[in-house]
Amino acid sequence: AELGERTIIVVAGISLLCALLISILMTRSIVLPLQRLQQGMKNVERTSDFSHRIAVSGSDEVGQASTAFNAMLSVQQTALSQVNRAVGAMASGHFETAVTAELHGDLHITKLAINQSLQSMQMTMDAINRAMAALSQGRFDSHIAAEVQGEFKKTLDQANHAIQQLRSMMHDVGSTMANVAVGDLHGRV
């Protein structure tokens, strides 16, 4: 009976050690990937480096969360890259570089705002260029029209006012010169 009790104690001890070892291994297989995910997220938060990716090990919930986080980083990195390219082109006076990435939510709203800004700048510049071309050809009857708002509209309104003043001045010069031609030297511009 004493041998049986010892056997039971030894088997129970070995079983307890095996259970402890299995528990430690299972905990590490869950905790380590979670720690990598958490550390990767903190790293992106701290550095704002969207090129960082988390190593995915497995297809369990932690692996799926890591894969989803990497996909989110990829979308943000693509969006920021295109936004930077469009804004850089805009700053250089090139308005044809639009944001084209397939974006959703807040990034889609940002995309629309940037593309609308590019379009408004392009329309404003096209309208001014058409008016300048008309003026350079001696046509002082041009009017600048474009569907823009805010400061763009204000700029076009000021350009239209300047064209109107120039037209009025040219009319005055023409009238004065016509009077000079018939001997009336009293007129002034």
Short mmCIF file of all heavy atoms in Angstrom, two decimals, residues 32-73:
data_model
loop_
_atom_site.label_atom_id
_atom_site.label_comp_id
_atom_site.label_asym_id
_atom_site.label_seq_id
_atom_site.Cartn_x
_atom_site.Cartn_y
_atom_site.Cartn_z
N LEU A 32 3.47 36.41 -25.47
CA LEU A 32 4.53 36.98 -26.31
C LEU A 32 3.98 37.63 -27.57
O LEU A 32 4.37 38.76 -27.89
CB LEU A 32 5.58 35.91 -26.64
CG LEU A 32 6.48 35.51 -25.47
CD1 LEU A 32 7.47 34.42 -25.90
CD2 LEU A 32 7.23 36.70 -24.90
N PRO A 33 3.09 36.98 -28.33
CA PRO A 33 2.53 37.68 -29.49
C PRO A 33 1.74 38.94 -29.10
O PRO A 33 1.79 39.95 -29.80
CB PRO A 33 1.61 36.64 -30.13
CG PRO A 33 2.16 35.33 -29.70
CD PRO A 33 2.70 35.58 -28.32
N LEU A 34 1.04 38.88 -27.98
CA LEU A 34 0.31 40.07 -27.51
C LEU A 34 1.29 41.19 -27.15
O LEU A 34 1.03 42.37 -27.45
CB LEU A 34 -0.57 39.74 -26.31
CG LEU A 34 -1.94 39.16 -26.61
CD1 LEU A 34 -2.64 38.74 -25.32
CD2 LEU A 34 -2.79 40.14 -27.37
N GLN A 35 2.40 40.83 -26.52
CA GLN A 35 3.40 41.84 -26.18
C GLN A 35 4.02 42.44 -27.45
O GLN A 35 4.26 43.65 -27.50
CB GLN A 35 4.49 41.23 -25.29
CG GLN A 35 4.04 40.98 -23.87
CD GLN A 35 5.11 40.25 -23.05
OE1 GLN A 35 5.97 39.55 -23.58
NE2 GLN A 35 5.03 40.43 -21.73
N ARG A 36 4.27 41.60 -28.48
CA ARG A 36 4.81 42.11 -29.74
C ARG A 36 3.82 43.08 -30.39
O ARG A 36 4.19 44.14 -30.90
CB ARG A 36 5.11 40.96 -30.72
CG ARG A 36 6.46 40.32 -30.50
CD ARG A 36 6.89 39.50 -31.71
NE ARG A 36 5.93 38.50 -32.11
CZ ARG A 36 5.95 37.23 -31.71
NH1 ARG A 36 6.88 36.81 -30.90
NH2 ARG A 36 5.03 36.39 -32.12
N LEU A 37 2.54 42.71 -30.37
CA LEU A 37 1.50 43.58 -30.94
C LEU A 37 1.44 44.90 -30.18
O LEU A 37 1.45 45.98 -30.77
CB LEU A 37 0.14 42.86 -30.90
CG LEU A 37 -1.07 43.67 -31.39
CD1 LEU A 37 -0.90 44.09 -32.84
CD2 LEU A 37 -2.34 42.84 -31.22
N GLN A 38 1.42 44.81 -28.86
CA GLN A 38 1.36 46.02 -28.03
C GLN A 38 2.60 46.89 -28.24
O GLN A 38 2.49 48.11 -28.40
CB GLN A 38 1.23 45.63 -26.56
CG GLN A 38 1.15 46.81 -25.62
CD GLN A 38 1.11 46.38 -24.16
OE1 GLN A 38 1.63 45.32 -23.80
NE2 GLN A 38 0.50 47.19 -23.33
N GLN A 39 3.77 46.28 -28.29
CA GLN A 39 5.01 47.03 -28.49
C GLN A 39 5.02 47.68 -29.87
O GLN A 39 5.44 48.82 -30.02
CB GLN A 39 6.23 46.10 -28.31
CG GLN A 39 7.54 46.84 -28.32
CD GLN A 39 7.64 47.88 -27.22
OE1 GLN A 39 7.18 47.68 -26.10
NE2 GLN A 39 8.22 49.02 -27.53
N GLY A 40 4.56 46.95 -30.88
CA GLY A 40 4.49 47.51 -32.23
C GLY A 40 3.56 48.70 -32.30
O GLY A 40 3.86 49.72 -32.93
N MET A 41 2.41 48.60 -31.64
CA MET A 41 1.46 49.72 -31.62
C MET A 41 2.06 50.93 -30.91
O MET A 41 1.92 52.06 -31.38
CB MET A 41 0.15 49.28 -30.94
CG MET A 41 -0.66 48.32 -31.74
SD MET A 41 -2.09 47.79 -30.76
CE MET A 41 -3.16 47.19 -32.07
N LYS A 42 2.71 50.69 -29.79
CA LYS A 42 3.35 51.79 -29.06
C LYS A 42 4.45 52.42 -29.90
O LYS A 42 4.62 53.64 -29.88
CB LYS A 42 3.92 51.29 -27.73
CG LYS A 42 2.87 51.08 -26.66
CD LYS A 42 3.51 50.63 -25.35
CE LYS A 42 2.46 50.43 -24.28
NZ LYS A 42 3.05 50.02 -23.01
N ASN A 43 5.19 51.61 -30.64
CA ASN A 43 6.27 52.11 -31.48
C ASN A 43 5.70 53.03 -32.57
O ASN A 43 6.25 54.11 -32.82
CB ASN A 43 7.04 50.95 -32.11
CG ASN A 43 8.25 51.41 -32.87
OD1 ASN A 43 8.91 52.36 -32.49
ND2 ASN A 43 8.54 50.72 -33.96
N VAL A 44 4.61 52.63 -33.21
CA VAL A 44 3.98 53.46 -34.24
C VAL A 44 3.44 54.74 -33.62
O VAL A 44 3.61 55.83 -34.17
CB VAL A 44 2.87 52.68 -34.98
CG1 VAL A 44 2.06 53.60 -35.87
CG2 VAL A 44 3.47 51.54 -35.78
N GLU A 45 2.83 54.62 -32.44
CA GLU A 45 2.30 55.80 -31.76
C GLU A 45 3.42 56.78 -31.42
O GLU A 45 3.29 57.98 -31.63
CB GLU A 45 1.58 55.38 -30.47
CG GLU A 45 1.08 56.55 -29.65
CD GLU A 45 0.58 56.15 -28.28
OE1 GLU A 45 0.98 55.09 -27.78
OE2 GLU A 45 -0.20 56.93 -27.72
N ARG A 46 4.53 56.26 -30.95
CA ARG A 46 5.64 57.10 -30.52
C ARG A 46 6.36 57.75 -31.69
O ARG A 46 6.72 58.92 -31.65
CB ARG A 46 6.63 56.25 -29.71
CG ARG A 46 7.80 57.01 -29.12
CD ARG A 46 8.70 56.13 -28.25
NE ARG A 46 8.89 54.76 -28.64
CZ ARG A 46 9.69 54.35 -29.63
NH1 ARG A 46 10.38 55.20 -30.33
NH2 ARG A 46 9.81 53.06 -29.92
N THR A 47 6.55 57.01 -32.80
CA THR A 47 7.37 57.50 -33.92
C THR A 47 6.54 58.05 -35.08
O THR A 47 7.09 58.72 -35.95
CB THR A 47 8.25 56.37 -34.47
OG1 THR A 47 7.41 55.34 -35.02
CG2 THR A 47 9.16 55.81 -33.38
N SER A 48 5.26 57.71 -35.13
CA SER A 48 4.40 58.05 -36.28
C SER A 48 4.97 57.50 -37.58
O SER A 48 4.78 58.05 -38.65
CB SER A 48 4.18 59.56 -36.39
OG SER A 48 3.51 60.05 -35.27
N ASP A 49 5.67 56.38 -37.48
CA ASP A 49 6.27 55.72 -38.65
C ASP A 49 5.32 54.62 -39.12
O ASP A 49 5.28 53.54 -38.54
CB ASP A 49 7.64 55.14 -38.27
CG ASP A 49 8.31 54.41 -39.43
OD1 ASP A 49 7.77 54.42 -40.56
OD2 ASP A 49 9.38 53.84 -39.20
N PHE A 50 4.57 54.91 -40.19
CA PHE A 50 3.59 53.97 -40.68
C PHE A 50 4.20 52.88 -41.55
O PHE A 50 3.48 52.02 -42.06
CB PHE A 50 2.48 54.70 -41.44
CG PHE A 50 1.68 55.61 -40.55
CD1 PHE A 50 1.76 56.98 -40.68
CD2 PHE A 50 0.84 55.09 -39.58
CE1 PHE A 50 1.04 57.82 -39.85
CE2 PHE A 50 0.11 55.92 -38.75
CZ PHE A 50 0.21 57.29 -38.89
N SER A 51 5.52 52.90 -41.74
CA SER A 51 6.17 51.81 -42.48
C SER A 51 6.49 50.63 -41.58
O SER A 51 6.84 49.56 -42.06
CB SER A 51 7.46 52.32 -43.14
OG SER A 51 8.43 52.63 -42.15
N HIS A 52 6.36 50.82 -40.27
CA HIS A 52 6.63 49.74 -39.30
C HIS A 52 5.57 48.65 -39.46
O HIS A 52 4.39 48.93 -39.64
CB HIS A 52 6.60 50.29 -37.88
CG HIS A 52 6.83 49.26 -36.83
ND1 HIS A 52 8.07 48.76 -36.55
CD2 HIS A 52 5.96 48.62 -36.01
CE1 HIS A 52 7.97 47.84 -35.60
NE2 HIS A 52 6.70 47.75 -35.25
N ARG A 53 5.98 47.39 -39.39
CA ARG A 53 5.04 46.27 -39.45
C ARG A 53 5.32 45.33 -38.29
O ARG A 53 6.45 45.21 -37.83
CB ARG A 53 5.16 45.49 -40.77
CG ARG A 53 4.81 46.30 -42.01
CD ARG A 53 3.35 46.71 -42.02
NE ARG A 53 2.98 47.42 -43.23
CZ ARG A 53 3.03 48.73 -43.39
NH1 ARG A 53 3.45 49.50 -42.41
NH2 ARG A 53 2.67 49.29 -44.51
N ILE A 54 4.28 44.67 -37.84
CA ILE A 54 4.38 43.72 -36.73
C ILE A 54 4.53 42.32 -37.31
O ILE A 54 3.79 41.94 -38.23
CB ILE A 54 3.12 43.80 -35.84
CG1 ILE A 54 3.06 45.19 -35.21
CG2 ILE A 54 3.12 42.71 -34.78
CD1 ILE A 54 1.76 45.49 -34.51
N ALA A 55 5.48 41.56 -36.77
CA ALA A 55 5.67 40.18 -37.22
C ALA A 55 4.45 39.36 -36.82
O ALA A 55 4.03 39.37 -35.66
CB ALA A 55 6.93 39.59 -36.61
N VAL A 56 3.86 38.67 -37.79
CA VAL A 56 2.67 37.87 -37.54
C VAL A 56 3.10 36.41 -37.40
O VAL A 56 3.75 35.86 -38.27
CB VAL A 56 1.66 38.01 -38.70
CG1 VAL A 56 0.45 37.13 -38.47
CG2 VAL A 56 1.25 39.45 -38.87
N SER A 57 2.72 35.83 -36.26
CA SER A 57 3.04 34.42 -36.05
C SER A 57 1.74 33.70 -35.70
O SER A 57 1.21 33.85 -34.61
CB SER A 57 4.08 34.26 -34.94
OG SER A 57 3.61 34.85 -33.74
N GLY A 58 1.21 33.00 -36.64
CA GLY A 58 0.00 32.24 -36.39
C GLY A 58 -1.23 32.91 -36.97
O GLY A 58 -1.20 34.05 -37.42
N SER A 59 -2.32 32.17 -36.94
CA SER A 59 -3.58 32.69 -37.49
C SER A 59 -4.65 32.77 -36.41
O SER A 59 -5.83 32.86 -36.72
CB SER A 59 -4.04 31.80 -38.64
OG SER A 59 -4.22 30.46 -38.18
N ASP A 60 -4.23 32.74 -35.15
CA ASP A 60 -5.19 32.87 -34.06
C ASP A 60 -5.64 34.33 -33.96
O ASP A 60 -5.35 35.15 -34.83
CB ASP A 60 -4.56 32.39 -32.74
CG ASP A 60 -3.31 33.17 -32.37
OD1 ASP A 60 -2.92 34.07 -33.14
OD2 ASP A 60 -2.72 32.88 -31.32
N GLU A 61 -6.36 34.66 -32.92
CA GLU A 61 -6.91 36.00 -32.77
C GLU A 61 -5.82 37.07 -32.72
O GLU A 61 -5.95 38.15 -33.28
CB GLU A 61 -7.78 36.09 -31.49
CG GLU A 61 -9.10 35.36 -31.59
CD GLU A 61 -8.98 33.85 -31.36
OE1 GLU A 61 -7.85 33.36 -31.08
OE2 GLU A 61 -9.99 33.16 -31.50
N VAL A 62 -4.70 36.77 -32.05
CA VAL A 62 -3.60 37.72 -31.97
C VAL A 62 -2.96 37.90 -33.35
O VAL A 62 -2.65 39.02 -33.76
CB VAL A 62 -2.55 37.28 -30.92
CG1 VAL A 62 -1.37 38.23 -30.90
CG2 VAL A 62 -3.19 37.19 -29.54
N GLY A 63 -2.79 36.80 -34.07
CA GLY A 63 -2.25 36.87 -35.43
C GLY A 63 -3.17 37.66 -36.35
O GLY A 63 -2.72 38.47 -37.16
N GLN A 64 -4.47 37.46 -36.21
CA GLN A 64 -5.45 38.21 -37.02
C GLN A 64 -5.43 39.69 -36.66
O GLN A 64 -5.52 40.55 -37.54
CB GLN A 64 -6.85 37.63 -36.83
CG GLN A 64 -7.01 36.24 -37.43
CD GLN A 64 -8.34 35.61 -37.07
OE1 GLN A 64 -9.23 36.24 -36.51
NE2 GLN A 64 -8.48 34.33 -37.39
N ALA A 65 -5.30 40.00 -35.37
CA ALA A 65 -5.22 41.40 -34.94
C ALA A 65 -3.94 42.05 -35.48
O ALA A 65 -3.97 43.20 -35.94
CB ALA A 65 -5.26 41.50 -33.42
N SER A 66 -2.84 41.33 -35.46
CA SER A 66 -1.58 41.85 -36.00
C SER A 66 -1.69 42.09 -37.50
O SER A 66 -1.23 43.11 -38.02
CB SER A 66 -0.43 40.88 -35.72
OG SER A 66 -0.23 40.74 -34.33
N THR A 67 -2.31 41.16 -38.22
CA THR A 67 -2.51 41.30 -39.66
C THR A 67 -3.39 42.51 -39.96
O THR A 67 -3.09 43.29 -40.87
CB THR A 67 -3.13 40.02 -40.24
OG1 THR A 67 -2.24 38.92 -40.01
CG2 THR A 67 -3.39 40.14 -41.73
N ALA A 68 -4.45 42.69 -39.19
CA ALA A 68 -5.35 43.83 -39.39
C ALA A 68 -4.62 45.15 -39.10
O ALA A 68 -4.79 46.13 -39.82
CB ALA A 68 -6.59 43.70 -38.50
N PHE A 69 -3.81 45.17 -38.06
CA PHE A 69 -3.05 46.37 -37.72
C PHE A 69 -2.07 46.71 -38.84
O PHE A 69 -1.94 47.87 -39.24
CB PHE A 69 -2.32 46.19 -36.38
CG PHE A 69 -1.62 47.43 -35.91
CD1 PHE A 69 -2.34 48.51 -35.42
CD2 PHE A 69 -0.24 47.52 -35.96
CE1 PHE A 69 -1.69 49.66 -34.98
CE2 PHE A 69 0.41 48.67 -35.52
CZ PHE A 69 -0.32 49.74 -35.03
N ASN A 70 -1.39 45.70 -39.38
CA ASN A 70 -0.46 45.92 -40.49
C ASN A 70 -1.19 46.45 -41.72
O ASN A 70 -0.69 47.34 -42.41
CB ASN A 70 0.28 44.62 -40.83
CG ASN A 70 1.33 44.27 -39.80
OD1 ASN A 70 1.77 45.10 -39.01
ND2 ASN A 70 1.74 43.01 -39.80
N ALA A 71 -2.38 45.93 -41.99
CA ALA A 71 -3.18 46.40 -43.13
C ALA A 71 -3.58 47.86 -42.93
O ALA A 71 -3.53 48.67 -43.87
CB ALA A 71 -4.41 45.52 -43.33
N MET A 72 -3.96 48.21 -41.71
CA MET A 72 -4.33 49.59 -41.41
C MET A 72 -3.12 50.51 -41.61
O MET A 72 -3.25 51.59 -42.20
CB MET A 72 -4.84 49.71 -39.98
CG MET A 72 -5.25 51.12 -39.59
SD MET A 72 -5.73 51.27 -37.87
CE MET A 72 -4.14 51.10 -37.06
N LEU A 73 -1.95 50.08 -41.17
CA LEU A 73 -0.74 50.88 -41.36
C LEU A 73 -0.44 51.07 -42.84
O LEU A 73 -0.05 52.16 -43.27
CB LEU A 73 0.46 50.22 -40.67
CG LEU A 73 0.48 50.24 -39.15
CD1 LEU A 73 1.65 49.43 -38.62
CD2 LEU A 73 0.53 51.66 -38.63
#
